[in-house]
Amino acid sequence: MENLLFVAGTTAGPEWPVRGKVGKDVTVDQAYQAARQTGLNQLTNIRAALGSLDRVKRIVKVLGMVNSAEGFGDQPKVINGFSDLMVEVFGESIGRHARSAVGMEALPGNASVEVELIVEVE
């Protein structure tokens, strides 16, 4: 377990202008962009914890939570914003990961997306 970094859930941040339920207040594309911004924030968290992103051996597991309107079922399309960024930054072999993308009744600060993850480190 000492080679795993557990990164707490994070959102796009309080300054992110688009908030609310995806499928009602927020479009899938807007939520995709929020998931991407969440990924940038998580990269900052990882770098702060490890000192360098070069220590990332593999993105292991991602839990993507989407603040979903009733009946909304495209959570995977939203969380692709996060997953696509991880592959862009780290490449397929390190950035591709196991993932859950689930709908939530609400998220902190009425964020549209929150993501937590597990990272294998060197």
Side-chain angles (χ1 to χ4, degrees), residues 28-41:
V28 170
D29 185 58
Q30 289 171 319
Y32 176 98
Q33 294 304 320
R36 187 174 176 86
Q37 180 61 44
T38 299
L40 293 171
N41 291 347

Side-chain angles (χ1 to χ4, degrees), residues 8 14 25 28 36 48-49 59 68 76 80-81 89 97-98 103-104 107 113-114 121-122:
D25 311 312
V28 170
R36 187 174 176 86
I59 305 296
S68 299
N80 282 346
V89 170
H97 48 267
M104 298 288 173
L107 291 173
V113 177
E114 181 176 352
V121 300
E122 295 180 341

Side-chain angles (χ1 to χ4, degrees), residues 5-45:
L5 174 66
F6 294 82
V7 187
T10 247
T11 66
E15 68 287 343
W16 191 255
V18 180
R19 303 188 160 291
K21 294 198 173 294
V22 182
K24 179 183 173 192
D25 311 312
V26 178
T27 68
V28 170
D29 185 58
Q30 289 171 319
Y32 176 98
Q33 294 304 320
R36 187 174 176 86
Q37 180 61 44
T38 299
L40 293 171
N41 291 347
Q42 287 292 36
L43 291 171
T44 299
N45 294 339

Side-chain angles (χ1 to χ4, degrees), residues 77-96:
K77 288 181 183 177
V78 170
I79 301 304
N80 282 346
F82 182 92
S83 296
D84 293 348
L85 178 66
M86 293 302 111
V87 172
E88 287 174 32
V89 170
F90 295 111
E92 281 286 331
S93 61
I94 296 171
R96 187 65 57 203

